[in-house]
Amino acid sequence: MRLFLATLLVWALPHISVAGDETVQFDSDDPLMTAAMSAARETLASFLDHTRGNGAWLHPDAEMKVALHTTAAARQLYDVAVEIIWVSDIERNGETFTGRLANDPNMLGDLQFGDQVSFTQAQIRDWSLPGADGRMFGHYTTRVVLDRLPPEQAAGYREYLSETPAPAGWRP
């Protein structure tokens, strides 16, 4: 089975999407991507603690990368079970989250950029939060993808990332 990861550019250009957003495919058992998602989930509790907003809303600049089930056609034709995509404008209601797609999906049927989706904590694969300097914490999966990009393109993206994925003092 393969995973379909949405582009990394959402954090560089918040809430702007171009039709046909690029994706990067990984095998579901890719060791680097699996380790990145595991590390992101290890700091997820700290992320959630530090992004609580008023009421059920999370910090307005917080985003999560979420695994959503692809259509039956995508599963059959491409052997892709989930598309992992950025979600913004996140609200929490007990064990369920809702938010808006921050990329144009490729294998989620009629869903498109800006559509509302619901998901559980188990579906969260990564998170993003800007630091005081504007550079992005989180993006564990993005950091893996960068190694597969042309060096000059990856260098440009690295400028937007914080030096470490999690702020100092966050518990793993």
Side-chain angles (χ1 to χ4, degrees):
M1 219 26 104
R2 298 185 62 79
L3 301 175
F4 219 57
L5 276 76
T7 58
L8 14 139
L9 287 178
V10 170
W11 50 269
L13 303 169
H15 311 294
I16 295 174
S17 179
V18 178
D21 283 343
E22 292 182 35
T23 58
V24 179
Q25 290 190 36
F26 283 85
D27 288 331
S28 59
D29 61 351
D30 180 281
L32 293 176
M33 189 56 69
T34 300
M37 288 188 276
S38 178
R41 292 196 43 83
E42 287 174 7
T43 54
L44 182 60
S46 289
F47 167 79
L48 292 171
D49 287 345
H50 287 88
T51 57
R52 278 197 197 126
N54 294 329
W57 289 95
L58 298 187
H59 185 285
D61 295 324
E63 293 188 350
M64 295 179 187
K65 205 168 211 180
V66 178
L68 299 175
H69 293 284
T70 58
T71 64
R75 288 189 299 276
Q76 184 176 18
L77 291 172
Y78 304 108
D79 195 28
V80 175
V82 296
E83 183 167 349
I84 302 175
I85 190 164
W86 287 106
V87 176
S88 61
D89 302 323
I90 301 164
E91 183 178 352
R92 186 174 191 171
N93 184 7
E95 296 301 313
T96 303
F97 296 85
T98 58
R100 302 213 173 270
L101 293 177
N103 291 101
D104 260 332
N106 289 280
M107 297 195 174
L108 300 178
D110 293 334
L111 289 175
Q112 57 188 346
F113 171 80
D115 283 350
Q116 188 170 20
V117 293
S118 295
F119 55 96
T120 65
Q121 190 166 325
Q123 291 173 268
I124 301 169
R125 299 297 186 263
D126 202 349
W127 54 266
S128 171
L129 185 67
D133 63 358
R135 295 176 72 191
M136 305 306 279
F137 286 108
H139 283 274
Y140 291 82
T141 58
T142 301
R143 294 166 197 265
V144 171
V145 171
L146 293 179
D147 291 338
R148 297 184 183 199
L149 296 176
E152 53 286 339
Q153 186 179 11
Y157 295 140
R158 282 188 176 97
E159 290 181 26
Y160 291 100
L161 294 174
S162 59
E163 190 173 317
T164 60
W170 281 27
R171 64 185 186 279

